């Protein structure tokens, strides 16, 4: 989306709908400070209406820039959450996890069930859609599911980044959380990663997701880098 005044280009907004219904701003630029007020008062509402027509409920920004945060707050956006990153070096862990669940490689035919687990496990803003899940699994060398009484109750997806692994997703049904299933999934993932001679694992989670943070820290992960701040409007209606 571009904003013209006469023949002059005043600004550009590039949102991605890959994580629909969240439209995530990938690029945002204004020509100069005189464009701030008209953009937030006139242009942004037009962009939000267009994105709503395309199925977006949220238009979200990853930013800590003061002038942009001020403008977003005046426009009704709120702090959605902050994402924290973790790193673990070495994949040997003494924890055992839940021995009463079985963990195995997931299959493409189980994606609908895994998506249902994801939607229960995550706030709607962070939940995956079918296209994202299908893409993640297609690219992942490690896709494991945990079963209890022949029902999938959790899963983990991890990507390979050169000599490192990145856990892109782990989800457990809320009713089954706190039972060592997340630990068991992580340990099984570590086992296959060790087989592939990897020694370093990265992941991230939301600052408010303290349960996940406790799991990762108990497994030897340590925080790295600054937090990434997400801003978005509360979705009382489509944006």
């Amino acid at each position: 989306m571009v904003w013209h005044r006469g023949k002059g280009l005043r600004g550009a907004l590039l949102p991605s709908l890959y994580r629909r219904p969240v439209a995530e701003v990938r690029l945002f630029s204004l020509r100069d400070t005189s464009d701030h007020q008209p953009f937030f008062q006139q242009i942004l509402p037009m962009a939000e209406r267009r994105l709503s027509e395309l199925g977006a409920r949220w238009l979200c920004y990853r930013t800590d820039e003061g002038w942009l945060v001020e403008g977003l707050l005046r426009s009704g956006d709120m702090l959605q959450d902050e994402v924290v990153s973790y790193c673990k070096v070495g994949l040997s862990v003494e924890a055992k996890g839940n021995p009463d669940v079985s963990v195995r490689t997931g299959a493409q035919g189980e994606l609908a069930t895994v998506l249902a687990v994801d939607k229960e496990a995550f706030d709607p803003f962070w939940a995956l859609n079918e296209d994202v899940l299908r893409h993640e699994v297609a690219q992942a060398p490690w896709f494991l599911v945990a079963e209890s009484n022949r029902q999938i109750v959790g899963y983990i997806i991890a990507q390979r980044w050169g000599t490192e692994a990145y856990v892109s997703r782990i989800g457990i049904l809320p009713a089954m959380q706190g039972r060592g299933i997340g630990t068991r999934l992580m340990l099984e993932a570590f086992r296959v990663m060790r087989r592939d001679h990897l020694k370093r694992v990265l992941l991230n989670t939301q600052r408010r997701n303290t349960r996940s943070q406790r799991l990762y820290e108990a497994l030897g992960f340590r925080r790295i880098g600054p937090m990434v701040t997400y801003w978005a409007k509360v979705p009382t209606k489509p944006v």
Side-chain angles (χ1 to χ4, degrees):
M1 300 176 177
V2 294
W3 172 29
H4 288 270
R5 183 185 295 154
K7 295 183 178 180
L9 178 64
R10 307 304 303 179
L13 181 72
L14 178 63
S16 167
L17 281 167
Y18 173 68
R19 205 162 62 82
R20 189 191 308 263
V22 176
E24 189 168 319
V25 173
R26 302 293 190 184
L27 178 148
F28 176 68
S29 178
L30 294 177
R31 188 178 184 112
D32 56 50
T33 57
S34 66
D35 294 317
H36 291 183
Q37 183 174 345
F39 175 82
F40 286 109
Q41 291 183 350
Q42 302 170 29
I43 306 303
L44 184 56
M46 294 171 57
E48 291 175 342
R49 285 194 295 272
R50 176 56 180 152
L51 287 166
S52 177
E53 293 169 0
L54 295 173
R57 293 183 65 204
W58 293 269
L59 176 59
C60 98
Y61 301 77
R62 293 184 294 178
T63 184
D64 288 311
E65 291 190 58
W67 70 270
L68 180 52
V69 170
E70 290 177 6
L72 293 174
L73 289 171
R74 287 196 298 269
S75 299
D77 287 69
M78 299 178 64
L79 175 65
Q80 187 68 34
D81 209 336
E82 295 165 299
V83 170
V84 294
S85 297
Y86 282 87
C87 174
K88 176 175 174 58
V89 179
L91 301 183
S92 296
V93 179
E94 294 183 1
K96 301 298 182 183
N98 189 327
D100 297 324
V101 296
S102 59
V103 177
R104 59 171 175 80
T105 300
Q108 285 282 340
E110 297 172 315
L111 293 189
T113 302
V114 170
L115 186 64
V117 171
D118 191 90
K119 289 188 180 302
E120 285 197 48
F122 290 91
D123 180 273
F125 181 84
W126 298 108
L128 298 181
N129 62 44
E130 182 178 355
D131 291 339
V132 174
L133 176 61
R134 193 171 299 280
H135 177 77
E136 288 284 324
V137 169
Q139 300 296 316
W142 306 293
F143 169 41
L144 305 175
V145 296
E147 285 185 319
S148 177
N149 297 322
R150 299 184 179 181
Q151 176 189 7
I152 293 177
V153 297
Y155 72 96
I156 187 170
I157 302 170
Q159 312 290 342
R160 182 164 187 162
W161 291 356
T163 60
E164 299 178 334
Y166 171 67
V167 177
S168 58
R169 200 70 166 180
I170 179 170
I172 314 294
L173 284 174
M176 302 298 289
Q177 291 176 9
R179 302 186 186 186
I181 298 173
T183 299
R184 180 73 186 282
L185 280 166
M186 293 290 288
L187 294 176
E188 290 298 321
F190 290 169
R191 182 180 62 80
V192 294
M193 290 170 186
R194 285 198 304 270
R195 185 184 62 199
D196 292 338
H197 309 294
L198 300 187
K199 298 180 180 180
R200 178 177 156 105
V201 183
L202 306 172
L203 55 79
N204 56 44
T205 190
Q206 296 79 47
R207 180 179 59 81
R208 294 172 183 164
N209 192 346
T210 55
R211 172 170 275 174
S212 289
Q213 291 174 46
R214 288 195 297 269
L215 166 64
Y216 303 144
E217 290 168 5
L219 292 172
F221 283 86
R222 297 293 178 263
R223 285 195 185 190
I224 57 171
M227 290 189 290
V228 179
T229 307
Y230 282 73
W231 301 86
K233 282 187 171 67
V234 176
T236 53
K237 59 181 180 180
V239 298

